[in-house]
Amino acid sequence: MSTHNGVKLPQSHAVYPGSFDPPTNGHLDVIARAAAIFPLVTVAVVVNPQKRSPFFVLDEREEMLRRCTSAYPNVRVDHFRGLLADYINRISADVIVKGLRVVSDFENEMAFAHMNRSLSNVDTTFLMSDSSYSFVSSSLIKEVFLQGGDIAKYVPAVVLECMQQKRLAHGRK
Ligand code: PNS
């Protein structure tokens, strides 16, 4: 706890969860904004993303995030399996951070926020990513990349390099 005029102030530990398969410039924008607000930000990579088999394994997703966030001393990278609410309780975090790109994101996120608060009494704060990232998502990035499109504008250089290496490892052009 820090103090202001003798009043104890909470130090918030924020958790920014996601699949990060792969991390995009939109994710990095949200991380930078969260790091400027919260004393500690844990970027929490879900072990098994729902709905799909990941392009990158967990270690790769974590390593890319570590390299991309090394400039932020108050950002750490971790992973979790199972419910986010249980992970939040386990590490005694105070708040969840989610990024919003467009209004439809909020419609989905509202139910998640209510469920997480109901499960763990933790609130969710929403940070709007820069509007230039409003159409950037990991799934779209993968689709464009796998069809030979140029994704250099949408992901950090570290991520682009890892994607190119993965394509080479799979014997694709
Ligand atoms: O980057 P994504 O895939 O949009 O991230 C989704 C994520 C990981 C934040 C969400 O699927 C999640 O919280 N998964 C953990 C399981 C869980 O707690 N489900 C209930 C959510 S209310």
Side-chain angles (χ1 to χ4, degrees):
M1 290 264 183
S2 62
T3 57
H4 176 69
N5 291 338
V7 178
K8 282 186 178 176
L9 297 174
Q11 292 276 0
S12 295
H13 175 185
V15 170
Y16 178 39
S19 306
F20 304 106
D21 185 38
T24 68
N25 286 341
H27 291 130
L28 267 295
D29 183 65
V30 172
I31 291 169
R33 290 171 197 282
I37 297 171
F38 300 105
L40 176 61
V41 178
T42 295
V43 180
V45 184
V46 69
V47 173
N48 295 314
Q50 297 190 334
K51 302 175 283 195
R52 55 194 179 262
S53 51
F55 188 71
F56 287 106
V57 299
L58 175 67
D59 283 354
E60 292 169 328
R61 286 179 277 143
E62 282 195 274
E63 180 58 22
M64 284 186 285
L65 281 164
R66 286 205 177 89
R67 290 172 67 187
C68 294
T69 60
S70 59
Y72 305 104
N74 60 332
V75 173
R76 66 183 200 117
V77 178
D78 192 16
H79 61 264
F80 72 102
R81 64 181 79 238
L83 283 178
L84 175 62
D86 291 341
Y87 172 72
I88 297 281
N89 283 340
R90 205 162 53 245
I91 67 167
S92 303
D94 304 298
V95 66
I96 296 167
V97 166
K98 290 286 188 85
L100 293 179
R101 293 165 299 188
V102 288
V103 173
S104 56
D105 281 348
F106 183 67
E107 286 171 8
N108 299 323
E109 290 296 344
M110 210 172 154
F112 290 149
H114 280 302
M115 180 57 83
N116 281 321
R117 188 160 62 187
S118 174
L119 290 171
S120 73
N121 202 29
V122 70
D123 272 303
T124 300
T125 56
F126 296 101
L127 295 177
M128 280 178 290
S129 57
D130 190 272
S131 56
S132 58
Y133 303 123
S134 62
F135 60 95
V136 177
S137 68
S138 297
S139 49
L140 208 47
I141 292 299
K142 280 180 286 194
E143 183 175 338
V144 171
F145 176 77
L146 291 172
Q147 298 295 333
D150 181 5
I151 57 160
K153 274 189 289 192
Y154 315 119
V155 295
V158 164
V159 172
L160 181 62
E161 197 183 304
C162 290
M163 292 189 79
Q164 287 167 339
Q165 279 171 6
K166 191 155 276 278
R167 181 158 58 189
L168 283 176
H170 285 82
R172 281 177 245 141
K173 193 167 83 72

